[in-house]
Amino acid sequence: MNTDPDVVRALFASHYFLLAFLSSLGTLQIAVANAGTRGLWMTPHAGMTRLLGIALVITAIAVFFLQPLWVGGPWAAGSVEADSLLRDWGTASWDEIAGARNVNDIHGGLDGVKQAFWFSIAAISAFLVSAIAGTVTMNVIAFTEEQAGKTSSLDESGGLEGLVHRSYLSNLLISFRNFKSEIVEVWRSGIRNSDKWSLIRLVFSSSSK
Amino acid sequence: MSSIDANIVIWLNGFVGTVRAFDDLIRIIASDYLMPLVFSLGMLGLWFSGTSPAQRVKYQLTMLMGISALSIANIVVWIFNLVIERPRPFVEYGDQLNLLFYPPTDPSFPANPVAVGFAAATAAWTINRKFGWWMYGAAAVFGFSRLYAGVFYPTDIIGGAIVGIATYGCTTYLRRFLEPIITGFVRLIRGLSAA
C-alpha cells in the first residue's frame, strides 16, 4: 500500500463515526416515535419524527458508501479490484464505488473492536442530541397543550416512561431520585429471588451470615 | 464433504460477472460496515422500543444479553480458529474463483460475521418474532454475500450460524450466575433516564 495504515484508519474512523451517529440518531427517532417517548422526539409530531428517522438512516448509509467519490482515500481509480496492499490514494469512480470500502483491517480498515467503540460513542452522542432537541420539542408540545386547555401530568415515574411527558433534564432529576430510593430494595429482592447458582447471592448471603 | 463444499462455492462464484449490478450489490452487502451496522441498529432500536415498563425491562435485559453474546461469539470463533486452521476458498481454489472482496488473512471456519449476526438475530427473535426473522434474514444474506464473494465455504456459514445461536443460548443461561447485577445495571441506566 502506498499509504500508512494509521492514516487510512483515521479516515475510516471519522467516516464510520458519521455513519454510526446519523444512523443511530435515525433509529432512535423511529423507535421513540413508535413508543411515544416524546421527550426524545426531534419534531413535535410522531409521523414527522418517524420520517426524519428513516431519512437520517438512508442518508447516513448513502453518504458513507458514496463518500469515496469526492473524498480521497485508498480507493483510487484502477486500484479497487486490486489487493488492498496495492491500492493508491485518490477518489473512486462510479464503476468502482461498490467495492471502495472493502479495505482489510490490517491495511487501515476498522476491525470489529474499533467499530464497537465508535458505534458506542456515536449512539451515546445520538441520545444526547435527541435529549437536547427533545427539550425544545417538549416546550412546543407543552405550549400547544396549554393552548388547548390540557393539564400537565403529575406522574412521578422516571426513566423512558417519564420522557413520555417530560423533557430529559427535568426527568433526569426524578429518575435519579427514584433510583436512589429504589436501588437498595431492588438489590435485596434481587438477591432473594436470584437463582441458587448466582455468584452474587453466594457472596452476599455468606457475608450477611 | 470438503469437495461438496468447494464445488458449491466454485459453482456459486461462477456467476460473478453475469450481472454487474448484482455483483456491486454483493460487494456492498459483504462489506465490513453495512450489515454489522444493521445488527447494531436493530439492538439499539429494540432498547428504546418497549411501550410499557415491563416490556422495556424485558427488551433491555435481552439486548444486554445480545450484546454480551456478540462479544462472546467473537471469542468462540477465535478459539475455533486456533484449533481448526481451515484455509479460505481463494487460497485453495484461487485459480477458479473471482474474488469480490479483499482476501482476509484469518482462518475460514466458522464464519465470524455470520456468528455475530445470528447472535444478534436470536436476541431479537426471543422478544419479537417478526423483527427477529428479519434479523435472521439479514444475517443469512450477509453470509450468502461472503459465500458468493468467494471468502467462505457453505459449512463456514452454517458453523457461524450455529456458534451465534448457541452462544446466545449459553449467555442467557449464564446470566443467572450474575443476577442481580444485570438488573441493577439496567436500573442504573434507568436512573440516567436512558432505560
Side-chain angles (χ1 to χ4, degrees):
Chain A
M1 197 166 189
N2 296 340
T3 48
D4 180 1
D6 286 337
V7 174
V8 177
R9 206 164 284 125
L11 181 82
F12 262 89
S14 63
H15 291 186
Y16 181 77
F17 178 78
L18 184 68
L19 166 73
F21 172 71
L22 290 179
S23 56
S24 297
L25 191 60
T27 304
L28 194 61
Q29 290 306 305
I30 297 167
V32 295
N34 291 340
T37 316
R38 299 186 300 177
L40 294 175
W41 289 3
M42 290 179 79
T43 79
H45 306 285
M48 209 188 289
T49 304
R50 201 174 294 119
L51 279 179
L52 175 69
I54 294 167
L56 280 168
V57 173
I58 293 170
T59 306
I61 293 171
V63 166
F64 182 77
F65 283 100
L66 293 176
Q67 244 171 340
L69 285 173
W70 65 86
V71 179
W75 38 69
S79 67
V80 172
E81 295 294 336
D83 183 315
S84 54
L85 204 66
L86 305 170
R87 291 180 177 203
D88 289 325
W89 193 270
T91 52
S93 66
W94 268 109
D95 284 347
E96 295 168 315
I97 192 72
R101 290 290 186 186
N102 293 340
V103 176
N104 198 335
D105 55 40
I106 56 172
H107 300 130
L110 294 182
D111 61 24
V113 175
K114 288 191 181 66
Q115 282 188 42
F117 171 77
W118 286 114
F119 184 85
S120 306
I121 303 281
I124 292 167
S125 307
F127 179 79
L128 293 176
V129 168
S130 298
I132 294 165
T135 305
V136 178
T137 303
M138 283 309 287
N139 283 337
V140 173
I141 292 172
F143 179 75
T144 316
E145 287 182 347
E146 207 175 282
Q147 295 287 306
K150 286 185 186 171
T151 51
S152 57
S153 170
L154 296 172
D155 181 15
E156 281 294 291
S157 56
L160 292 177
E161 284 96 80
L163 285 173
V164 172
H165 43 75
R166 267 193 301 272
S167 69
Y168 181 76
L169 275 182
S170 47
N171 192 55
L172 183 63
L173 298 172
I174 294 170
S175 300
F176 200 71
R177 197 177 60 214
N178 289 350
F179 171 73
K180 281 203 298 185
S181 64
E182 290 168 6
I183 190 63
V184 175
E185 185 47 36
V186 167
W187 183 259
R188 281 185 186 147
S189 69
I191 288 184
R192 267 198 310 272
N193 300 326
S194 62
D195 192 275
K196 63 176 180 178
W197 287 100
S198 166
L199 294 172
I200 314 302
R201 180 181 181 160
L202 202 70
V203 170
F204 281 85
S205 299
S206 338
S207 63
S208 62
K209 279 173 192 170
Chain B
M1 184 67 190
S2 182
S3 73
I4 298 171
D5 230 12
N7 286 339
I8 293 172
V9 72
I10 291 166
W11 172 75
L12 203 57
N13 185 264
F15 290 99
V16 170
T18 312
V19 181
R20 173 69 200 260
F22 184 72
D23 292 350
D24 283 348
L25 183 66
I26 290 290
R27 279 192 180 96
I28 292 172
I29 293 170
S31 127
D32 285 330
Y33 305 98
L34 183 64
M35 298 314 273
L37 179 83
V38 169
F39 304 138
S40 308
L41 293 179
M43 307 247 275
L44 179 73
L46 282 175
W47 181 278
F48 289 96
S49 286
T51 48
S52 66
Q55 195 182 43
R56 279 200 181 103
V57 170
K58 189 181 165 195
Y59 278 26
Q60 288 157 3
L61 284 173
T62 309
M63 286 307 102
L64 276 184
M65 289 302 100
I67 293 164
S68 311
L70 295 189
S71 318
I72 296 170
N74 274 309
I75 297 168
V76 173
V77 170
W78 176 72
I79 293 168
F80 265 105
N81 287 171
L82 291 178
V83 180
I84 309 166
E85 272 199 61
R86 188 185 200 187
R88 297 274 184 165
F90 58 82
V91 174
E92 292 188 309
Y93 306 97
D95 52 338
Q96 298 172 68
L97 296 173
N98 290 307
L99 211 53
L100 284 182
F101 194 69
Y102 66 75
T105 48
D106 52 341
S108 197
F109 183 87
N112 193 356
V114 178
V116 166
F118 272 80
T122 309
W125 186 83
T126 55
I127 48 173
N128 186 325
R129 292 284 190 270
K130 202 172 168 186
F131 187 68
W133 283 123
W134 278 106
M135 292 273 278
Y136 274 130
V141 168
F142 193 27
F144 172 81
S145 69
R146 293 283 177 109
L147 179 65
Y148 182 83
V151 291
F152 280 121
Y153 291 105
T155 42
D156 301 336
I157 308 291
I158 295 165
I162 293 169
V163 166
I165 295 169
T167 305
Y168 178 77
C170 290
T171 310
T172 309
Y173 183 76
L174 292 175
R175 182 185 141 194
R176 65 189 191 144
F177 295 115
L178 293 175
E179 281 294 359
I181 282 192
I182 296 163
T183 306
F185 179 68
V186 172
R187 284 290 183 142
L188 173 65
I189 301 178
R190 187 179 153 83
L192 297 171
S193 280

